[in-house]
Amino acid sequence: MKKTYGIKETWKGSSETEAKELCPICGGKGYIIKHSPDAQDTIIFCKCREMDKVKRMWSFSGIETQKNKLTFKNYKIYNEATEKAMDTALKYFKSFKLIKNTRKNSIAFLGQVGSGKSHRMNCF
């Protein structure tokens, strides 16, 4: 006989049918039940739950990462300042693996409205 559990919720309140399509690991519930023959079963959070949390945080900022079409290639340079800003952002992106554990590992995007700050940030 199949063991049943009282936990019927799915992650983010989606229906069970939709949830099964969301995550192949947990079926969209956001957790996995680890069965143990010698001890009490335990529940652990699935990786998809953390990914969903990150996506929600991005959406709260007004940036929908799934629909993002902004890339380094389609950035339009229109003067020396935007060219220098793009070169700096690209250099930072390419060297990040080398500098990520150093003290000087951050970048700031400053400039006028319409100068491409958000576009460059989304490229990352």
Side-chain angles (χ1 to χ4, degrees):
M1 181 174 193
K2 188 176 177 184
K3 208 173 184 182
T4 58
Y5 298 92
I7 302 171
K8 292 283 184 183
E9 289 181 53
T10 56
W11 182 237
K12 284 187 64 177
S14 59
S15 72
E16 284 198 48
T17 306
E18 291 171 328
K20 287 178 182 160
E21 295 171 6
L22 295 175
C23 177
I25 299 168
C26 70
K29 293 181 211 141
Y31 58 85
I32 303 162
I33 299 172
K34 291 268 185 173
H35 302 288
S36 174
D38 302 328
Q40 184 175 4
D41 292 348
T42 56
I43 295 175
I44 60 167
F45 291 123
C46 183
K47 293 177 198 173
C48 72
R49 184 175 179 146
E50 183 63 28
M51 285 302 298
D52 192 54
K53 180 181 174 184
V54 170
K55 287 177 189 174
R56 280 196 321 273
M57 288 171 57
W58 274 107
S59 72
F60 293 149
S61 73
I63 299 167
E64 295 184 50
T65 55
Q66 301 294 345
K67 295 179 182 177
N68 183 13
K69 303 284 188 247
L70 303 174
T71 65
F72 287 119
K73 285 185 179 180
N74 67 14
Y75 179 78
K76 294 195 180 7
I77 295 169
Y78 59 89
N79 64 19
E80 263 186 62
T82 56
E83 183 175 14
K84 184 177 178 182
M86 190 57 172
D87 289 344
T88 303
L90 195 53
K91 181 180 171 187
Y92 174 80
F93 178 77
K94 288 179 177 180
S95 65
F96 186 73
K97 286 183 181 180
L98 299 172
I99 65 169
K100 71 179 180 179
N101 293 322
T102 67
R103 193 166 161 84
K104 296 180 181 182
N105 65 356
S106 57
I107 188 169
F109 295 109
L110 309 171
Q112 298 175 329
V113 173
S115 62
K117 298 178 300 290
S118 295
H119 187 127
R120 289 190 304 271
M121 190 273 308
N122 276 290
C123 293
F124 290 91

